[in-house]
Amino acid sequence: MGGDADEVDDTDEDLPITLWRIGEHATLLHEGAPAQSVYVLRSGSLKCVKTLEDGYEQVVCFAQPGELLGFEALHCGRQPTSVVALEDATVYALSMTELLGLRQRCPALDDALQLALSQQLTRAAGVAEMMSAVASDVRLARFLLWMSARMAEAGRSPRRLLLRMCRRDIASLLGVAHETVSRSFTILADAGHVKVENREVEILDLEHLRMRARNTRGPLEEAARRRPQPTGKGTPMSALPWLPQMAALSVAA
Amino acid sequence: MGGDADEVDDTDEDLPITLWRIGEHATLLHEGAPAQSVYVLRSGSLKCVKTLEDGYEQVVCFAQPGELLGFEALHCGRQPTSVVALEDATVYALSMTELLGLRQRCPALDDALQLALSQQLTRAAGVAEMMSAVASDVRLARFLLWMSARMAEAGRSPRRLLLRMCRRDIASLLGVAHETVSRSFTILADAGHVKVENREVEILDLEHLRMRARNTRGPLEEAARRRPQPTGKGTPMSALPWLPQMAALSVAA
DNA sequence: CGAGGAGTTGAGGCTAGTCAAGGCCCGTGG
DNA sequence: CCACGGGCCTTGACTAGCCTCAACTCCTCG
């Protein structure tokens, strides 16, 4: 297996689903490792990191319980990121070789998989949105709101956050220096939006935090003027496409 | 339907796959629109944009032929981004309500779908990697290499790029001002790495362009020292998990 | 008790954002 | 036909914000 995790138990003879336990700082998936399983995070939190050629550790995302991991490797066979536990965590593991057969035998799992994948795509867009802000305090505000939303999804208090990752990891995700993260924390704290105590963050003024997070760049960037301009009128085409063709296409590109 | 596209033809009575033609600047998917179909881009190129509260148009990604679109909406029922054609384009449309049944009737399509989803996740991580660079010329270099890789995937020349998007869209994706994109283009051109003529870009020195793209931030950021540190040893757990539970979990979070 | 990581804060230089002007190209309309 | 307007792109000048380097504290761990 591609990780420092301990196999705990098979859950069922028929189903190749295994529960793994991952200790803090242990690596569940190694970047570049062959794809063998997909995982669903059961408890704890993880970070997905890409080690760039110059040795810089780029954090791509933080994973909360329920998230799907390792699925990216399906199309190229290798893991694009490493996955490291920020605290003790447990995951369900699902062998990739048996994934296909399993999907057919169990439509419920199949649907759940589709949903989870869809969700992961949405989250990826959310990460991009976070990084799109210019000002560093705005980035941090968005990050905190993002974490808060995750807590709410998980049914926990969205006001009290316990950040399991270090400042450097946050800085990496947001694309700023880790000192800047520190400064941005004090900016938000001085403004009375949050109370910060090391990794414990309490959101005091959600509304003002949201307002700050809205600032993207300049004053509206005149983008509001650029209306959709639907032209849309086009000539009909001959009906050559087909299902197999479509299937081939989506594999190809 | 949520778009200014023209329906062209049904491809098969049994299969709800339709070919749509989208004119330049037309919108295939509107942000916030209900999820009704998934699409596979057949020809042309698109951009996915998120209009933020302050009116700023955040470009999330550029789509090339073969990419899957609209799938993010599955889990929440609404499109998280708008999708706009950068040039005349065609897409295969697949009704979402019939998607489930179709997947079961045609495993080949199902597998293709999984692969495409996996690919989309990988691409999302790639976008994050692009934005992670600090220096603007490095960001642009990565963008050009990214476009080049897409061209190679499509079987076209990876050296001659025709950028269908305007500078402002590139700037939005990279998280910089559009003037900065201009300046970065001239930096790369002056360095002899590329030849730029409006939207036509020729890569002259791939190797040096790659070298420039490697610079992430500072000199190694001492991250190279932070070795994995596998602790990994943990106590076994009782075997409570199960397939239905796992399915429910991946839906829940 | 010392070593080292994590976090915070300060000083200074430089990148990139902002504002502004000008050129180019292409659409519409006089 | 050419004038005009309006994108798109580029370039310049100024300035704000962030990165870098550095020092210091706190805390954990061996």
Side-chain angles (χ1 to χ4, degrees):
Chain A
M1 275 305 311
D4 312 317
D6 300 324
E7 180 168 353
V8 175
D9 199 355
D10 281 347
T11 58
D12 193 338
E13 277 64 29
D14 293 6
L15 298 173
I17 295 183
T18 313
L19 183 65
W20 291 76
R21 187 186 187 288
I22 314 147
E24 190 177 352
H25 301 135
T27 308
L28 173 64
L29 295 172
H30 285 279
E31 188 175 347
Q36 290 175 323
S37 297
V38 293
Y39 302 89
V40 176
L41 182 55
R42 178 181 171 271
S43 67
S45 53
L46 313 172
K47 64 174 176 180
C48 305
V49 298
K50 232 176 193 319
T51 303
L52 305 186
E53 291 99 338
D54 58 1
Y56 176 73
E57 254 195 18
Q58 170 64 36
V59 175
V60 174
C61 69
F62 296 116
Q64 305 292 141
E67 288 199 44
L68 203 58
L69 299 160
F71 203 91
E72 299 93 325
L74 184 63
H75 96 274
C76 64
R78 315 177 87 234
Q79 301 295 341
T81 62
S82 294
V83 177
V84 180
L86 293 170
E87 58 185 318
D88 289 358
T90 53
V91 295
Y92 298 113
L94 217 157
S95 164
M96 224 165 212
T97 54
E98 316 206 31
L99 184 60
L100 189 135
L102 198 59
R103 284 209 333 261
Q104 291 176 345
R105 267 188 298 162
C106 177
L109 175 74
D110 201 13
D111 291 347
L113 202 59
Q114 303 296 319
L115 269 178
L117 281 168
S118 162
Q119 205 167 21
Q120 288 304 109
L121 284 175
T122 307
R123 286 181 183 159
V127 170
E129 188 177 343
M130 241 176 8
M131 296 179 67
S132 73
V134 256
S136 60
D137 57 332
V138 176
R139 284 163 120 108
L140 185 63
R142 289 191 188 179
F143 171 71
L144 293 177
L145 290 173
W146 183 76
M147 286 296 293
S148 171
R150 296 299 182 85
M151 296 296 279
E153 283 176 12
R156 303 170 59 84
S157 164
R159 309 211 157 242
R160 298 197 58 86
L161 310 177
L162 179 51
L163 307 176
R164 308 321 266 256
M165 68 294 290
C166 65
R167 297 285 190 267
R168 188 182 297 274
D169 286 338
I170 299 175
S172 175
L173 182 75
L174 299 181
V176 299
H178 71 276
E179 297 97 325
T180 303
V181 172
S182 250
R183 282 186 247 270
S184 298
F185 263 122
T186 61
I187 288 175
L188 295 183
D190 289 350
H193 299 165
V194 298
K195 190 157 78 71
V196 183
E197 202 164 335
N198 284 321
R199 298 192 179 183
E200 291 173 27
V201 176
E202 184 177 0
I203 297 179
L204 299 175
D205 190 342
L206 191 61
E207 207 41 57
H208 282 237
L209 193 61
R210 283 222 180 88
M211 279 179 54
R212 186 177 292 260
R214 276 194 245 281
N215 296 328
T216 305
R217 66 178 62 246
L220 280 163
E221 175 93 12
E222 93 247 32
R225 249 182 281 140
R226 304 168 68 208
R227 290 282 132 236
Q229 287 266 49
T231 60
K233 298 304 133 207
T235 59
M237 312 177 52
S238 63
L240 44 92
W242 231 319
L243 177 93
Q245 209 171 352
M246 177 174 168
L249 191 65
S250 53
V251 175
Chain B
M1 271 306 309
D4 312 315
D6 301 323
E7 179 169 352
V8 175
D9 201 354
D10 282 345
T11 59
D12 193 338
E13 277 63 29
D14 293 6
L15 298 172
I17 295 181
T18 314
L19 184 65
W20 292 75
R21 189 186 185 289
I22 313 148
E24 191 177 352
H25 301 136
T27 308
L28 173 64
L29 295 172
H30 286 279
E31 189 174 348
Q36 290 176 323
S37 297
V38 294
Y39 301 88
V40 176
L41 182 55
R42 178 179 171 271
S43 67
S45 52
L46 312 172
K47 64 173 176 180
C48 305
V49 297
K50 232 175 193 321
T51 302
L52 305 185
E53 291 99 338
D54 59 359
Y56 176 72
E57 254 195 18
Q58 171 63 36
V59 175
V60 173
C61 71
F62 296 115
Q64 305 291 141
E67 287 199 44
L68 203 58
L69 298 159
F71 203 90
E72 298 92 327
L74 184 63
H75 95 273
C76 64
R78 316 177 86 236
Q79 301 295 340
T81 62
S82 295
V83 177
V84 180
L86 293 169
E87 60 185 315
D88 288 358
T90 53
V91 295
Y92 299 112
L94 216 157
S95 164
M96 225 166 211
T97 56
E98 316 207 31
L99 184 60
L100 189 136
L102 199 60
R103 285 209 334 260
Q104 291 177 344
R105 267 189 297 162
C106 178
L109 175 74
D110 201 15
D111 291 346
L113 201 59
Q114 302 296 321
L115 268 178
L117 280 168
S118 161
Q119 205 167 21
Q120 289 305 108
L121 283 175
T122 307
R123 286 182 183 159
V127 169
E129 188 177 344
M130 243 177 6
M131 296 178 67
S132 73
V134 256
S136 59
D137 56 332
V138 176
R139 284 165 122 106
L140 185 63
R142 288 190 189 180
F143 171 72
L144 293 177
L145 290 172
W146 184 76
M147 286 297 294
S148 170
R150 296 299 181 86
M151 296 295 279
E153 283 177 10
R156 304 171 57 85
S157 165
R159 309 213 156 240
R160 299 197 58 86
L161 310 178
L162 179 50
L163 307 176
R164 308 322 265 257
M165 68 294 292
C166 65
R167 296 286 191 267
R168 187 182 300 270
D169 286 338
I170 299 175
S172 174
L173 181 75
L174 299 182
V176 298
H178 71 276
E179 297 98 325
T180 303
V181 172
S182 252
R183 282 187 247 268
S184 298
F185 263 123
T186 62
I187 289 175
L188 296 183
D190 289 351
H193 300 164
V194 298
K195 189 156 79 73
V196 183
E197 201 162 337
N198 285 318
R199 300 191 177 183
E200 292 174 27
V201 176
E202 184 177 1
I203 297 179
L204 299 174
D205 190 340
L206 192 61
E207 206 42 56
H208 281 230
L209 192 63
R210 283 222 179 89
M211 279 179 54
R212 185 177 293 258
R214 276 194 245 280
N215 297 329
T216 305
R217 67 176 62 246
L220 280 163
E221 176 92 12
E222 92 247 32
R225 247 181 283 141
R226 303 169 68 211
R227 289 283 130 236
Q229 287 268 51
T231 61
K233 297 304 135 210
T235 59
M237 311 177 53
S238 63
L240 45 93
W242 232 319
L243 178 92
Q245 208 172 354
M246 178 174 170
L249 191 66
S250 53
V251 176

